[in-house]
Amino acid sequence: MKKEEKELIFNLLKSADTNLYGYRRAEFAEEPVFTDDIMADAPEAEKTAAMQPVQETQTPLPSGMTLEDVNAKIMRCTRCQLARTRNNVVPGQGVEQPLVLVIGEGPGADEDARGLPFVGKAGILLDKMLAAIRLDRKTNCYIANIVKCRPPENRNPLPEEQDACFSFLEAQIHILKPKIILCMGKIAAEKMLNQQIPITQYHGHFFEYQGIPLMPTYHPSALLRNEQLKRPAWEDLKGFRRKLDEIEGNTTGAQH
């Protein structure tokens, strides 16, 4: 079969998949590189050329896709069981091309009611935490979650729910291009890093997500439950601000 024939079949199947399911994680994967089949009676030089490795490149987002496009797909998503119990989808909130991307685990009751991330008691505390290091969702941050719909009774999102939703966050990160990422709590950090992260041991430490510095810290809800965590969380935030200042080339640091 000719290379062009294979590409045509692949593109038809991909279009059908997109029409059925909308935006999918596969759009980020490396697409196959097709070549002509090698015929038994083909000249030796042609066989040799056909067997040479082809350098693969990462497939970018569809040309012109915006944050609004991704969020519109999030709003229509029915990939997992959370779609059946939600009141509102919570894509995210903040500015485009932010300095900081803040990632939580998922919406709670207040977020589910309003369709916005971190707007309950934990959200009020998060805004205060960010303001203490000169950050704000209205000026230089974007806030999102691993899952975009509320898990019932505020339980932890299941692994399959996280997997179903994660490509949306990947797309948001690809478009937003944050300078640095702040993960609020264990679940967000573990999903972003794809490894087990004991939050009591690794809070305040820096990791990387696709070349972007990432720090896990305590979730604001944990601070509301245990005030003894506020001091280490504050130390994390100061370190986070120092790292951001280094990235930006600033000499001023966080408040002391």
Short mmCIF file of all heavy atoms in Angstrom, two decimals, residues 182-246:
data_model
loop_
_atom_site.label_atom_id
_atom_site.label_comp_id
_atom_site.label_asym_id
_atom_site.label_seq_id
_atom_site.Cartn_x
_atom_site.Cartn_y
_atom_site.Cartn_z
N LEU A 182 2.50 25.54 40.80
CA LEU A 182 2.30 25.29 42.23
C LEU A 182 1.19 24.26 42.39
O LEU A 182 0.04 24.51 42.00
CB LEU A 182 1.93 26.59 42.95
CG LEU A 182 1.74 26.50 44.48
CD1 LEU A 182 3.05 26.12 45.17
CD2 LEU A 182 1.22 27.83 45.02
N CYS A 183 1.55 23.08 42.91
CA CYS A 183 0.56 22.02 43.11
C CYS A 183 0.05 22.05 44.55
O CYS A 183 0.84 21.96 45.49
CB CYS A 183 1.17 20.65 42.82
SG CYS A 183 1.33 20.29 41.08
N MET A 184 -1.25 22.15 44.70
CA MET A 184 -1.87 22.21 46.01
C MET A 184 -2.28 20.80 46.44
O MET A 184 -3.32 20.28 46.00
CB MET A 184 -3.08 23.14 46.00
CG MET A 184 -2.83 24.49 45.34
SD MET A 184 -1.39 25.38 45.96
CE MET A 184 -1.87 25.68 47.66
N GLY A 185 -1.46 20.18 47.25
CA GLY A 185 -1.82 18.88 47.82
C GLY A 185 -1.22 17.69 47.09
O GLY A 185 -0.66 17.78 45.99
N LYS A 186 -1.35 16.55 47.74
CA LYS A 186 -0.74 15.29 47.32
C LYS A 186 -1.25 14.81 45.97
O LYS A 186 -0.46 14.42 45.10
CB LYS A 186 -1.01 14.24 48.40
CG LYS A 186 -0.58 12.82 48.07
CD LYS A 186 -0.98 11.89 49.20
CE LYS A 186 -0.73 10.44 48.84
NZ LYS A 186 0.72 10.13 48.76
N ILE A 187 -2.57 14.83 45.76
CA ILE A 187 -3.14 14.25 44.55
C ILE A 187 -2.68 15.01 43.31
O ILE A 187 -2.28 14.41 42.30
CB ILE A 187 -4.67 14.21 44.64
CG1 ILE A 187 -5.09 13.15 45.67
CG2 ILE A 187 -5.30 13.90 43.28
CD1 ILE A 187 -6.56 13.07 45.92
N ALA A 188 -2.72 16.33 43.38
CA ALA A 188 -2.29 17.13 42.24
C ALA A 188 -0.82 16.89 41.93
O ALA A 188 -0.42 16.71 40.77
CB ALA A 188 -2.54 18.61 42.51
N ALA A 189 0.02 16.85 42.97
CA ALA A 189 1.45 16.66 42.77
C ALA A 189 1.74 15.28 42.18
O ALA A 189 2.55 15.13 41.24
CB ALA A 189 2.20 16.84 44.08
N GLU A 190 1.09 14.25 42.70
CA GLU A 190 1.36 12.90 42.22
C GLU A 190 0.93 12.71 40.77
O GLU A 190 1.61 12.03 39.99
CB GLU A 190 0.67 11.88 43.12
CG GLU A 190 1.30 11.77 44.50
CD GLU A 190 0.74 10.67 45.34
OE1 GLU A 190 -0.39 10.19 45.05
OE2 GLU A 190 1.42 10.26 46.30
N LYS A 191 -0.19 13.30 40.39
CA LYS A 191 -0.63 13.17 39.01
C LYS A 191 0.29 13.93 38.07
O LYS A 191 0.65 13.43 36.99
CB LYS A 191 -2.07 13.67 38.86
CG LYS A 191 -2.64 13.44 37.46
CD LYS A 191 -2.67 11.97 37.11
CE LYS A 191 -3.23 11.72 35.72
NZ LYS A 191 -3.14 10.29 35.34
N MET A 192 0.70 15.12 38.45
CA MET A 192 1.57 15.91 37.59
C MET A 192 2.94 15.26 37.41
O MET A 192 3.55 15.34 36.35
CB MET A 192 1.74 17.31 38.17
CG MET A 192 0.50 18.17 38.09
SD MET A 192 -0.05 18.47 36.39
CE MET A 192 1.35 19.38 35.74
N LEU A 193 3.43 14.61 38.47
CA LEU A 193 4.78 14.02 38.43
C LEU A 193 4.77 12.54 38.11
O LEU A 193 5.82 11.93 37.93
CB LEU A 193 5.48 14.26 39.77
CG LEU A 193 5.69 15.74 40.12
CD1 LEU A 193 6.23 15.87 41.54
CD2 LEU A 193 6.63 16.40 39.13
N ASN A 194 3.57 11.95 38.09
CA ASN A 194 3.42 10.53 37.77
C ASN A 194 4.26 9.65 38.70
O ASN A 194 4.92 8.70 38.28
CB ASN A 194 3.80 10.25 36.31
CG ASN A 194 3.33 8.89 35.84
OD1 ASN A 194 2.31 8.38 36.30
ND2 ASN A 194 4.07 8.30 34.92
N GLN A 195 4.23 10.00 39.98
CA GLN A 195 4.93 9.20 40.99
C GLN A 195 4.36 9.49 42.37
O GLN A 195 3.66 10.50 42.56
CB GLN A 195 6.43 9.51 40.98
CG GLN A 195 6.77 10.96 41.28
CD GLN A 195 8.27 11.22 41.28
OE1 GLN A 195 8.99 10.66 42.10
NE2 GLN A 195 8.73 12.06 40.37
N GLN A 196 4.62 8.60 43.30
CA GLN A 196 4.15 8.77 44.66
C GLN A 196 4.96 9.88 45.35
O GLN A 196 6.19 9.84 45.35
CB GLN A 196 4.29 7.47 45.45
CG GLN A 196 3.43 6.34 44.92
CD GLN A 196 1.95 6.60 45.07
OE1 GLN A 196 1.48 6.98 46.14
NE2 GLN A 196 1.20 6.40 44.00
N ILE A 197 4.26 10.87 45.91
CA ILE A 197 4.91 11.99 46.57
C ILE A 197 4.34 12.15 47.98
O ILE A 197 3.24 12.68 48.15
CB ILE A 197 4.68 13.31 45.79
CG1 ILE A 197 5.27 13.20 44.39
CG2 ILE A 197 5.30 14.49 46.53
CD1 ILE A 197 6.79 13.14 44.36
N PRO A 198 5.03 11.67 49.01
CA PRO A 198 4.55 11.95 50.38
C PRO A 198 4.63 13.46 50.63
O PRO A 198 5.73 14.02 50.71
CB PRO A 198 5.53 11.18 51.26
CG PRO A 198 6.22 10.20 50.35
CD PRO A 198 6.25 10.85 49.00
N ILE A 199 3.49 14.10 50.73
CA ILE A 199 3.46 15.56 50.78
C ILE A 199 4.18 16.10 52.02
O ILE A 199 4.80 17.17 51.98
CB ILE A 199 2.01 16.08 50.70
CG1 ILE A 199 1.97 17.59 50.39
CG2 ILE A 199 1.24 15.77 51.97
CD1 ILE A 199 2.46 17.93 49.01
N THR A 200 4.13 15.33 53.13
CA THR A 200 4.82 15.80 54.34
C THR A 200 6.33 15.79 54.19
O THR A 200 7.04 16.51 54.89
CB THR A 200 4.44 14.91 55.54
OG1 THR A 200 4.72 13.54 55.22
CG2 THR A 200 2.95 15.05 55.86
N GLN A 201 6.82 15.02 53.24
CA GLN A 201 8.26 14.92 53.01
C GLN A 201 8.74 15.82 51.88
O GLN A 201 9.84 16.39 51.95
CB GLN A 201 8.63 13.46 52.70
CG GLN A 201 10.13 13.23 52.51
CD GLN A 201 10.44 11.77 52.25
OE1 GLN A 201 9.57 10.90 52.37
NE2 GLN A 201 11.68 11.48 51.90
N TYR A 202 7.91 15.99 50.86
CA TYR A 202 8.37 16.66 49.65
C TYR A 202 7.74 18.03 49.41
O TYR A 202 8.02 18.65 48.39
CB TYR A 202 8.13 15.77 48.43
CG TYR A 202 9.08 14.60 48.39
CD1 TYR A 202 8.64 13.32 48.75
CD2 TYR A 202 10.41 14.76 48.02
CE1 TYR A 202 9.50 12.24 48.72
CE2 TYR A 202 11.28 13.70 48.00
CZ TYR A 202 10.83 12.43 48.35
OH TYR A 202 11.69 11.36 48.33
N HIS A 203 6.91 18.51 50.33
CA HIS A 203 6.38 19.86 50.16
C HIS A 203 7.55 20.85 50.18
O HIS A 203 8.53 20.69 50.91
CB HIS A 203 5.38 20.20 51.28
CG HIS A 203 6.00 20.38 52.63
ND1 HIS A 203 6.47 21.58 53.10
CD2 HIS A 203 6.26 19.48 53.62
CE1 HIS A 203 6.98 21.45 54.30
NE2 HIS A 203 6.86 20.17 54.65
N GLY A 204 7.46 21.86 49.35
CA GLY A 204 8.53 22.86 49.29
C GLY A 204 9.72 22.47 48.44
O GLY A 204 10.62 23.29 48.24
N HIS A 205 9.74 21.24 47.90
CA HIS A 205 10.83 20.81 47.03
C HIS A 205 10.45 21.10 45.57
O HIS A 205 9.27 21.08 45.22
CB HIS A 205 11.10 19.31 47.19
CG HIS A 205 11.71 18.96 48.50
ND1 HIS A 205 12.94 18.35 48.64
CD2 HIS A 205 11.25 19.11 49.77
CE1 HIS A 205 13.22 18.15 49.91
NE2 HIS A 205 12.20 18.61 50.62
N PHE A 206 11.45 21.34 44.76
CA PHE A 206 11.18 21.61 43.36
C PHE A 206 11.41 20.37 42.50
O PHE A 206 12.39 19.64 42.67
CB PHE A 206 12.05 22.77 42.85
CG PHE A 206 11.50 24.11 43.23
CD1 PHE A 206 11.99 24.79 44.33
CD2 PHE A 206 10.46 24.68 42.51
CE1 PHE A 206 11.48 26.01 44.70
CE2 PHE A 206 9.94 25.91 42.87
CZ PHE A 206 10.45 26.59 43.96
N PHE A 207 10.48 20.17 41.58
CA PHE A 207 10.55 19.13 40.56
C PHE A 207 10.39 19.82 39.21
O PHE A 207 10.39 21.05 39.14
CB PHE A 207 9.43 18.10 40.78
CG PHE A 207 9.49 17.41 42.11
CD1 PHE A 207 8.92 17.99 43.25
CD2 PHE A 207 10.09 16.17 42.25
CE1 PHE A 207 8.97 17.37 44.49
CE2 PHE A 207 10.14 15.53 43.48
CZ PHE A 207 9.59 16.13 44.60
N GLU A 208 10.24 19.04 38.16
CA GLU A 208 9.98 19.62 36.85
C GLU A 208 8.86 18.87 36.16
O GLU A 208 8.75 17.65 36.27
CB GLU A 208 11.23 19.59 35.96
CG GLU A 208 12.22 20.70 36.25
CD GLU A 208 13.22 20.88 35.12
OE1 GLU A 208 13.19 20.10 34.15
OE2 GLU A 208 14.04 21.82 35.21
N TYR A 209 8.03 19.62 35.45
CA TYR A 209 7.02 19.03 34.56
C TYR A 209 7.30 19.58 33.16
O TYR A 209 7.11 20.78 32.91
CB TYR A 209 5.60 19.39 35.01
CG TYR A 209 4.56 18.95 34.01
CD1 TYR A 209 4.12 17.63 33.98
CD2 TYR A 209 4.03 19.85 33.07
CE1 TYR A 209 3.19 17.21 33.04
CE2 TYR A 209 3.09 19.44 32.14
CZ TYR A 209 2.68 18.12 32.13
OH TYR A 209 1.75 17.70 31.18
N GLN A 210 7.79 18.73 32.28
CA GLN A 210 8.12 19.12 30.91
C GLN A 210 8.95 20.40 30.87
O GLN A 210 8.68 21.33 30.11
CB GLN A 210 6.83 19.27 30.09
CG GLN A 210 6.07 17.97 29.94
CD GLN A 210 4.88 18.06 29.01
OE1 GLN A 210 4.55 19.13 28.50
NE2 GLN A 210 4.21 16.94 28.79
N GLY A 211 9.95 20.45 31.73
CA GLY A 211 10.86 21.58 31.76
C GLY A 211 10.38 22.77 32.57
O GLY A 211 11.11 23.76 32.71
N ILE A 212 9.19 22.70 33.15
CA ILE A 212 8.64 23.79 33.96
C ILE A 212 8.87 23.47 35.44
O ILE A 212 8.47 22.40 35.90
CB ILE A 212 7.14 23.99 33.71
CG1 ILE A 212 6.86 24.21 32.22
CG2 ILE A 212 6.59 25.16 34.52
CD1 ILE A 212 5.39 24.21 31.87
N PRO A 213 9.48 24.37 36.22
CA PRO A 213 9.64 24.11 37.65
C PRO A 213 8.29 23.92 38.33
O PRO A 213 7.32 24.63 38.03
CB PRO A 213 10.34 25.37 38.17
CG PRO A 213 10.98 25.98 36.97
CD PRO A 213 10.08 25.65 35.81
N LEU A 214 8.22 22.95 39.22
CA LEU A 214 6.96 22.61 39.90
C LEU A 214 7.24 22.37 41.38
O LEU A 214 8.16 21.64 41.72
CB LEU A 214 6.35 21.36 39.25
CG LEU A 214 5.05 20.80 39.82
CD1 LEU A 214 4.28 20.06 38.71
CD2 LEU A 214 5.27 19.87 41.00
N MET A 215 6.43 22.99 42.22
CA MET A 215 6.55 22.77 43.66
C MET A 215 5.22 22.26 44.23
O MET A 215 4.18 22.88 44.03
CB MET A 215 6.91 24.06 44.41
CG MET A 215 6.91 23.87 45.94
SD MET A 215 6.92 25.41 46.89
CE MET A 215 8.65 25.82 46.78
N PRO A 216 5.24 21.16 44.99
CA PRO A 216 4.07 20.76 45.76
C PRO A 216 4.06 21.48 47.12
O PRO A 216 5.12 21.70 47.71
CB PRO A 216 4.26 19.25 45.97
CG PRO A 216 5.49 18.88 45.20
CD PRO A 216 6.28 20.12 44.99
N THR A 217 2.89 21.81 47.59
CA THR A 217 2.74 22.32 48.94
C THR A 217 1.41 21.82 49.49
O THR A 217 0.67 21.10 48.80
CB THR A 217 2.83 23.86 48.99
OG1 THR A 217 2.90 24.27 50.37
CG2 THR A 217 1.62 24.52 48.34
N TYR A 218 1.12 22.18 50.71
CA TYR A 218 -0.12 21.70 51.34
C TYR A 218 -1.34 22.36 50.70
O TYR A 218 -1.33 23.55 50.36
CB TYR A 218 -0.10 21.99 52.83
CG TYR A 218 0.91 21.17 53.60
CD1 TYR A 218 2.09 21.75 54.07
CD2 TYR A 218 0.69 19.82 53.85
CE1 TYR A 218 3.02 21.01 54.79
CE2 TYR A 218 1.61 19.07 54.56
CZ TYR A 218 2.78 19.66 55.03
OH TYR A 218 3.70 18.93 55.72
N HIS A 219 -2.40 21.60 50.58
CA HIS A 219 -3.66 22.12 50.07
C HIS A 219 -4.26 23.06 51.12
O HIS A 219 -4.16 22.80 52.33
CB HIS A 219 -4.63 20.97 49.80
CG HIS A 219 -5.81 21.34 48.97
ND1 HIS A 219 -6.87 22.07 49.47
CD2 HIS A 219 -6.10 21.10 47.66
CE1 HIS A 219 -7.77 22.24 48.51
NE2 HIS A 219 -7.32 21.67 47.40
N PRO A 220 -4.87 24.17 50.70
CA PRO A 220 -5.48 25.08 51.67
C PRO A 220 -6.47 24.39 52.61
O PRO A 220 -6.59 24.77 53.78
CB PRO A 220 -6.18 26.11 50.79
CG PRO A 220 -5.41 26.11 49.53
CD PRO A 220 -4.95 24.70 49.32
N SER A 221 -7.17 23.37 52.13
CA SER A 221 -8.10 22.64 53.00
C SER A 221 -7.37 21.98 54.15
O SER A 221 -7.89 21.91 55.28
CB SER A 221 -8.87 21.58 52.20
OG SER A 221 -9.73 22.18 51.26
N ALA A 222 -6.16 21.48 53.89
CA ALA A 222 -5.36 20.87 54.96
C ALA A 222 -4.97 21.91 56.00
O ALA A 222 -4.93 21.62 57.20
CB ALA A 222 -4.12 20.21 54.37
N LEU A 223 -4.68 23.14 55.55
CA LEU A 223 -4.33 24.20 56.48
C LEU A 223 -5.51 24.61 57.34
O LEU A 223 -5.34 24.97 58.51
CB LEU A 223 -3.81 25.42 55.72
CG LEU A 223 -2.65 25.19 54.74
CD1 LEU A 223 -2.16 26.51 54.18
CD2 LEU A 223 -1.52 24.44 55.40
N LEU A 224 -6.71 24.54 56.78
CA LEU A 224 -7.90 24.85 57.56
C LEU A 224 -8.17 23.79 58.62
O LEU A 224 -8.70 24.09 59.69
CB LEU A 224 -9.11 24.99 56.62
CG LEU A 224 -9.09 26.19 55.68
CD1 LEU A 224 -10.26 26.11 54.69
CD2 LEU A 224 -9.15 27.50 56.46
N ARG A 225 -7.79 22.56 58.31
CA ARG A 225 -7.99 21.48 59.28
C ARG A 225 -6.89 21.43 60.34
O ARG A 225 -7.13 21.02 61.47
CB ARG A 225 -8.05 20.13 58.55
CG ARG A 225 -9.25 19.93 57.65
CD ARG A 225 -9.37 18.49 57.20
NE ARG A 225 -8.21 18.06 56.43
CZ ARG A 225 -8.13 18.12 55.10
NH1 ARG A 225 -9.15 18.60 54.40
NH2 ARG A 225 -7.05 17.70 54.47
N ASN A 226 -5.70 21.84 59.96
CA ASN A 226 -4.55 21.74 60.86
C ASN A 226 -3.70 23.01 60.75
O ASN A 226 -2.89 23.15 59.83
CB ASN A 226 -3.72 20.50 60.51
CG ASN A 226 -2.55 20.29 61.45
OD1 ASN A 226 -2.30 21.09 62.36
ND2 ASN A 226 -1.81 19.22 61.24
N GLU A 227 -3.86 23.90 61.69
CA GLU A 227 -3.17 25.19 61.63
C GLU A 227 -1.65 25.04 61.79
O GLU A 227 -0.90 25.95 61.42
CB GLU A 227 -3.72 26.14 62.70
CG GLU A 227 -5.13 26.61 62.42
CD GLU A 227 -5.47 27.90 63.15
OE1 GLU A 227 -4.63 28.36 63.95
OE2 GLU A 227 -6.56 28.43 62.92
N GLN A 228 -1.20 23.92 62.33
CA GLN A 228 0.24 23.72 62.47
C GLN A 228 0.95 23.61 61.11
O GLN A 228 2.16 23.75 61.04
CB GLN A 228 0.51 22.46 63.31
CG GLN A 228 0.08 22.61 64.76
CD GLN A 228 0.44 21.38 65.58
OE1 GLN A 228 0.90 20.36 65.05
NE2 GLN A 228 0.24 21.46 66.89
N LEU A 229 0.16 23.37 60.06
CA LEU A 229 0.75 23.27 58.74
C LEU A 229 0.96 24.64 58.09
O LEU A 229 1.63 24.73 57.05
CB LEU A 229 -0.15 22.42 57.82
CG LEU A 229 -0.35 20.96 58.23
CD1 LEU A 229 -1.28 20.28 57.25
CD2 LEU A 229 0.99 20.23 58.30
N LYS A 230 0.42 25.69 58.70
CA LYS A 230 0.51 27.01 58.07
C LYS A 230 1.94 27.53 58.01
O LYS A 230 2.34 28.15 57.02
CB LYS A 230 -0.39 28.00 58.80
CG LYS A 230 -1.88 27.75 58.56
CD LYS A 230 -2.75 28.83 59.20
CE LYS A 230 -4.22 28.60 58.86
NZ LYS A 230 -5.10 29.64 59.45
N ARG A 231 2.73 27.28 59.06
CA ARG A 231 4.11 27.75 59.04
C ARG A 231 4.93 27.08 57.94
O ARG A 231 5.59 27.77 57.16
CB ARG A 231 4.75 27.54 60.42
CG ARG A 231 6.25 27.79 60.48
CD ARG A 231 6.67 29.13 59.90
NE ARG A 231 6.08 30.26 60.58
CZ ARG A 231 6.29 31.52 60.24
NH1 ARG A 231 7.07 31.81 59.21
NH2 ARG A 231 5.70 32.50 60.90
N PRO A 232 4.93 25.73 57.84
CA PRO A 232 5.69 25.13 56.73
C PRO A 232 5.14 25.53 55.36
O PRO A 232 5.92 25.68 54.41
CB PRO A 232 5.56 23.62 56.97
CG PRO A 232 4.46 23.46 57.96
CD PRO A 232 4.41 24.70 58.77
N ALA A 233 3.84 25.72 55.26
CA ALA A 233 3.27 26.16 53.97
C ALA A 233 3.78 27.55 53.62
O ALA A 233 4.06 27.84 52.45
CB ALA A 233 1.75 26.14 54.03
N TRP A 234 3.90 28.42 54.63
CA TRP A 234 4.41 29.77 54.38
C TRP A 234 5.87 29.73 53.93
O TRP A 234 6.27 30.46 53.02
CB TRP A 234 4.24 30.62 55.62
CG TRP A 234 4.87 31.98 55.57
CD1 TRP A 234 5.72 32.52 56.49
CD2 TRP A 234 4.72 32.99 54.56
NE1 TRP A 234 6.10 33.78 56.11
CE2 TRP A 234 5.50 34.10 54.92
CE3 TRP A 234 3.99 33.05 53.36
CZ2 TRP A 234 5.58 35.26 54.15
CZ3 TRP A 234 4.07 34.21 52.58
CH2 TRP A 234 4.85 35.29 52.99
N GLU A 235 6.65 28.84 54.53
CA GLU A 235 8.04 28.70 54.11
C GLU A 235 8.10 28.20 52.66
O GLU A 235 8.95 28.64 51.87
CB GLU A 235 8.78 27.73 55.03
CG GLU A 235 8.92 28.22 56.47
CD GLU A 235 9.68 29.55 56.57
OE1 GLU A 235 10.63 29.74 55.78
OE2 GLU A 235 9.32 30.37 57.43
N ASP A 236 7.19 27.29 52.30
CA ASP A 236 7.11 26.83 50.91
C ASP A 236 6.84 28.00 49.97
O ASP A 236 7.49 28.14 48.92
CB ASP A 236 5.98 25.80 50.74
CG ASP A 236 6.25 24.50 51.46
OD1 ASP A 236 7.38 24.28 51.95
OD2 ASP A 236 5.31 23.67 51.53
N LEU A 237 5.88 28.83 50.34
CA LEU A 237 5.51 29.95 49.48
C LEU A 237 6.66 30.93 49.30
O LEU A 237 6.86 31.47 48.20
CB LEU A 237 4.28 30.67 50.04
CG LEU A 237 2.96 29.87 50.01
CD1 LEU A 237 1.87 30.67 50.71
CD2 LEU A 237 2.56 29.54 48.58
N LYS A 238 7.40 31.17 50.35
CA LYS A 238 8.54 32.08 50.23
C LYS A 238 9.59 31.50 49.28
O LYS A 238 10.16 32.23 48.45
CB LYS A 238 9.14 32.36 51.60
CG LYS A 238 8.25 33.23 52.49
CD LYS A 238 9.00 33.76 53.70
CE LYS A 238 9.35 32.67 54.68
NZ LYS A 238 10.00 33.22 55.91
N GLY A 239 9.83 30.20 49.39
CA GLY A 239 10.76 29.56 48.47
C GLY A 239 10.26 29.58 47.04
O GLY A 239 11.03 29.75 46.09
N PHE A 240 8.95 29.43 46.90
CA PHE A 240 8.33 29.48 45.57
C PHE A 240 8.52 30.86 44.95
O PHE A 240 8.87 30.98 43.78
CB PHE A 240 6.84 29.15 45.71
CG PHE A 240 6.11 29.04 44.40
CD1 PHE A 240 6.13 27.85 43.68
CD2 PHE A 240 5.39 30.11 43.89
CE1 PHE A 240 5.45 27.73 42.47
CE2 PHE A 240 4.70 30.00 42.69
CZ PHE A 240 4.74 28.81 41.98
N ARG A 241 8.32 31.90 45.76
CA ARG A 241 8.48 33.27 45.26
C ARG A 241 9.94 33.54 44.88
O ARG A 241 10.21 34.19 43.86
CB ARG A 241 8.03 34.27 46.32
CG ARG A 241 8.12 35.72 45.89
CD ARG A 241 7.08 36.08 44.86
NE ARG A 241 7.66 36.61 43.64
CZ ARG A 241 6.95 37.19 42.66
NH1 ARG A 241 5.63 37.29 42.76
NH2 ARG A 241 7.54 37.63 41.58
N ARG A 242 10.85 33.03 45.67
CA ARG A 242 12.27 33.22 45.35
C ARG A 242 12.61 32.57 44.01
O ARG A 242 13.35 33.14 43.20
CB ARG A 242 13.16 32.65 46.46
CG ARG A 242 13.21 33.51 47.71
CD ARG A 242 14.33 33.07 48.64
NE ARG A 242 14.11 31.72 49.17
CZ ARG A 242 13.46 31.46 50.29
NH1 ARG A 242 12.95 32.46 51.02
NH2 ARG A 242 13.32 30.22 50.72
N LYS A 243 12.08 31.38 43.79
CA LYS A 243 12.32 30.70 42.52
C LYS A 243 11.72 31.49 41.37
O LYS A 243 12.37 31.64 40.30
CB LYS A 243 11.71 29.29 42.56
CG LYS A 243 11.97 28.45 41.32
CD LYS A 243 13.42 28.06 41.21
CE LYS A 243 13.63 27.04 40.10
NZ LYS A 243 15.04 26.63 39.98
N LEU A 244 10.52 32.00 41.54
CA LEU A 244 9.90 32.80 40.50
C LEU A 244 10.71 34.06 40.21
O LEU A 244 10.88 34.45 39.05
CB LEU A 244 8.47 33.15 40.89
CG LEU A 244 7.67 34.02 39.90
CD1 LEU A 244 7.63 33.37 38.52
CD2 LEU A 244 6.26 34.26 40.41
N ASP A 245 11.23 34.69 41.27
CA ASP A 245 12.06 35.88 41.08
C ASP A 245 13.33 35.54 40.29
O ASP A 245 13.78 36.32 39.44
CB ASP A 245 12.44 36.49 42.43
CG ASP A 245 11.27 37.22 43.08
OD1 ASP A 245 10.35 37.64 42.34
OD2 ASP A 245 11.28 37.36 44.32
N GLU A 246 13.91 34.37 40.57
CA GLU A 246 15.08 33.94 39.80
C GLU A 246 14.73 33.78 38.32
O GLU A 246 15.50 34.20 37.44
CB GLU A 246 15.60 32.61 40.35
CG GLU A 246 16.24 32.69 41.73
CD GLU A 246 16.62 31.31 42.24
OE1 GLU A 246 16.57 30.34 41.42
OE2 GLU A 246 16.95 31.18 43.42
#
